[in-house]
C-alpha cells in the first residue's frame, strides 16, 4: 500500500510497488482522459529551493492533468525561508494547506528531514548531488516501455558520473534487476564515487567497467545514458577543454551503435548530444521527458490514495 508514503530514495519502494506505479502509468498513457478528474480537490505544493524547468513543470503538469491544483515556489527568497524559517517549520505549515509535496533542495538530505516533520507525502525532486528518485522512475519506465525489459541489458552511463544525482539513483535502482552490465564512461576527474562502486556495484555483484571513450564501448550498448560534462567541476580549464569534445555524441560515434540501442538523457543538454541526432530513431530523450509526466501522475495518485 503506497497511500500516505513518501519517496525520498529510489529504494524506498519495493520492486513490486514500482511495478504497481508503472502499471498505472501505462494505463494513463493509454487513456489519459479517464484519469483527468482523479485528483479533483487535491493540492500539490512544489517547494523548489533551486532552479528547475523540466522537473517542476512535469510535477505541475502531472497534477493538473489529474484534475488537481498546484501551489508553491521556485524562488525561496520570496518566501519566509529568507527570514530564516527552518525546513521543519515550512513543511509543517505546508502540510496544513496541501495534500502532497514535491521538494527540490541543494542540500543533501533536506527532503528526508522534511518527510520526518510532514503530515503529508513528500517526494524528493532532487537533493544536491545525492538522489533524484522520480527521474529514476522516469528512466526505468522509459527503458521498460521501449526495450521491453529491465534485466539482461548493457547500460552505458556517460559524462559527469561523480556529481550526477540522476546517475547515482539509476545505478541504485538497476542493482535490483538481474544480469545487467554497467559501463561507466567518464574522465578521471568525474568518475563514479567509490562509495557507489563499493556499496552498490560490488555489494550486489554487478558487472561493471570504467572507460574513458564512448567509441570504445558503444557497439556493445543497449542503452546509452548521456549526462553533461560540467565545466564548473574542473579545477583546470585546460583539462575541461581537452576532454569536453570526447563526450559529444554525434553521427560518427553512432555508426558503430546497435540499431535498437536507445539514447537517454535526464536533460538539460548543453552540447553533449548533437542536434543532428534528434531525428534518429534511437534518440528517446524527449519521449523520456513525456514518460516522466505520466510516471509522476501515477506516483502522486498512489501516494494520495486516489487511484
Amino acid at each position: 500500500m503506497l497511500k500516505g508514503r513518501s519517496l525520498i530514495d529510489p529504494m524506498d519502494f519495493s520492486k513490486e510497488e514500482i511495478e504497481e506505479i508503472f502499471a498505472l502509468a501505462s494505463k494513463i498513457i493509454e487513456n489519459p482522459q479517464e484519469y483527468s478528474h482523479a485528483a479533483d480537490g487535491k493540492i500539490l505544493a512544489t517547494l523548489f529551493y533551486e532552479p528547475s524547468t523540466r522537473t517542476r513543470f512535469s510535477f505541475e503538469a502531472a497534477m493538473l492533468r489529474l484534475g488537481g491544483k498546484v501551489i508553491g515556489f521556485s524562488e525561496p527568497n520570496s518566501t519566509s525561508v529568507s527570514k530564516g524559517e527552518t525546513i521543519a517549520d515550512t513543511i509543517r505549515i505546508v502540510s496544513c494547506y496541501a495534500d502532497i509535496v514535491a521538494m527540490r533542495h541543494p542540500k543533501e538530505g533536506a527532503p528526508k528531514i522534511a518527510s520526518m516533520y510532514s503530515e503529508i507525502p513528500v517526494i524528493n525532486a532532487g537533493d544536491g548531488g545525492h538522489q533524484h528518485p522520480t527521474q529514476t522512475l522516469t528512466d526505468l519506465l522509459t527503458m521498460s516501455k521501449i526495450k521491453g525489459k529491465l534485466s539482461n541489458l548493457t547500460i552505458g552511463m556517460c559524462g559527469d558520473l561523480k556529481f550526477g544525482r540522476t546517475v547515482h539513483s539509476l545505478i541504485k535502482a538497476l542493482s535490483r534487476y538481474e544480469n545487467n552490465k554497467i559501463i561507466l564512461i567518464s574522465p578521471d576527474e568525474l568518475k563514479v564515487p567509490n562509495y557507489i562502486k563499493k556499496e552498490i556495484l560490488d555489494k550486489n555483484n554487478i558487472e561493471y567497467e570504467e572507460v574513458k571513450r564512448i567509441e570504445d564501448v558503444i557497439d556493445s550498448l543497449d542503452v546509452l545514458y548521456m549526462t553533461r560534462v560540467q565545466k564548473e567541476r574542473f579545477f583546470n580549464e585546460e583539462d575541461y577543454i581537452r576532454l569536453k569534445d570526447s563526450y559529444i555524441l554525434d553521427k560518427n560515434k553512432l555508426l558503430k551503435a546497435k540499431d535498437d540501442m536507445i539514447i537517454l538523457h535526464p536533460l538539460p543538454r548543453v552540447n553533449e548530444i548533437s542536434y543532428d541526432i534528434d531525428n534518429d530513431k534511437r534518440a528517446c530523450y524527449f519521449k523520456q521527458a513525456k514518460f516522466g509526466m505520466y510516471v509522476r501522475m501515477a506516483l502522486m495518485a498512489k501516494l494520495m490514495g486516489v487511484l
Side-chain angles (χ1 to χ4, degrees):
M1 194 70 175
L2 290 167
K3 185 180 177 182
R5 304 256 298 273
S6 289
L7 175 62
I8 306 302
D9 183 284
M11 306 301 261
D12 284 348
F13 298 162
S14 68
K15 261 172 78 173
E16 292 70 32
E17 287 166 338
I18 287 171
E19 288 305 323
E20 193 185 321
I21 292 164
F22 288 173
L24 178 56
S26 295
K27 287 180 186 169
I28 295 170
I29 290 165
E30 282 159 30
N31 190 0
Q33 275 307 110
E34 196 180 315
Y35 301 91
S36 59
H37 293 286
D40 281 359
K42 299 292 186 184
I43 295 173
L44 162 70
T46 52
L47 311 185
F48 277 65
Y49 290 79
E50 65 175 7
S52 166
T53 307
R54 264 149 309 278
T55 304
R56 185 166 63 88
F57 282 3
S58 181
F59 269 110
E60 292 179 357
M63 191 57 161
L64 294 169
R65 284 179 184 273
L66 287 170
K69 293 187 168 59
V70 181
I71 58 173
F73 59 79
S74 58
E75 177 42 73
N77 291 332
S78 64
T79 72
S80 292
V81 173
S82 62
K83 301 173 187 172
E85 184 172 62
T86 63
I87 284 171
D89 279 3
T90 298
I91 205 76
R92 283 177 172 129
I93 295 298
V94 171
S95 294
C96 300
Y97 307 143
D99 300 284
I100 192 163
V101 168
M103 180 181 186
R104 169 168 286 190
H105 203 285
K107 287 187 181 163
E108 296 179 3
K112 175 75 175 167
I113 290 167
S115 71
M116 290 159 63
Y117 291 92
S118 179
E119 298 292 316
I120 57 177
V122 175
I123 301 170
N124 178 4
D127 59 334
H130 195 223
Q131 302 291 345
H132 195 348
T134 61
Q135 180 65 50
T136 304
L137 291 179
T138 300
D139 300 339
L140 293 178
L141 179 66
T142 307
M143 286 194 235
S144 172
K145 280 280 180 202
I146 300 171
K147 297 300 291 182
K149 59 183 181 178
L150 290 169
S151 300
N152 303 303
L153 294 168
T154 299
I155 301 135
M157 299 185 183
C158 178
D160 178 1
L161 309 186
K162 183 175 184 181
F163 299 99
R165 59 188 165 205
T166 59
V167 167
H168 301 170
S169 285
L170 185 55
I171 290 173
K172 218 173 190 184
L174 284 169
S175 69
R176 289 170 151 177
Y177 298 90
E178 294 138 32
N179 204 29
N180 287 322
K181 179 178 181 181
I182 296 178
I183 300 181
L184 305 164
I185 310 157
S186 72
D188 287 336
E189 294 85 346
L190 296 175
K191 283 167 85 167
V192 160
N194 283 329
Y195 80 88
I196 299 271
K197 288 187 267 191
K198 194 174 170 187
E199 292 172 23
I200 302 168
L201 296 169
D202 293 337
K203 200 173 185 179
N204 294 288
N205 294 315
I206 295 161
E207 188 183 351
Y208 71 94
E209 186 183 339
E210 291 181 284
V211 299
K212 290 185 182 155
R213 284 161 36 95
I214 301 175
E215 301 92 314
D216 295 343
V217 293
I218 198 165
D219 59 340
S220 67
L221 302 180
D222 300 304
V223 179
L224 175 56
Y225 193 90
M226 294 294 295
T227 65
R228 182 167 65 94
V229 173
Q230 298 170 76
K231 186 178 182 179
E232 62 271 26
R233 305 297 192 189
F234 283 83
F235 296 115
N236 182 336
E237 193 169 353
E238 284 174 15
D239 284 344
Y240 171 72
I241 290 164
R242 174 175 56 81
L243 289 162
K244 68 182 175 72
D245 292 343
S246 319
Y247 300 95
I248 295 174
L249 187 65
D250 56 27
K251 279 190 167 176
N252 277 339
K253 291 193 177 89
L254 267 188
L255 288 173
K256 289 166 65 183
K258 293 177 183 176
D259 268 356
D260 64 346
M261 182 187 84
I262 63 170
I263 305 161
L264 302 182
H265 192 309
L267 302 176
R269 72 167 156 191
V270 182
N271 66 343
E272 59 280 358
I273 298 178
S274 296
Y275 282 81
D276 62 6
I277 285 176
D278 290 353
N279 294 323
D280 191 296
K281 63 175 185 172
R282 292 167 286 193
C284 296
Y285 28 91
F286 295 119
K287 275 185 192 170
Q288 181 186 1
K290 195 158 191 180
F291 282 138
M293 178 183 71
Y294 291 124
V295 87
R296 289 179 177 104
M297 287 173 76
L299 172 67
M300 289 193 289
K302 287 286 183 188
L303 299 187
M304 291 187 294
V306 298
L307 286 173

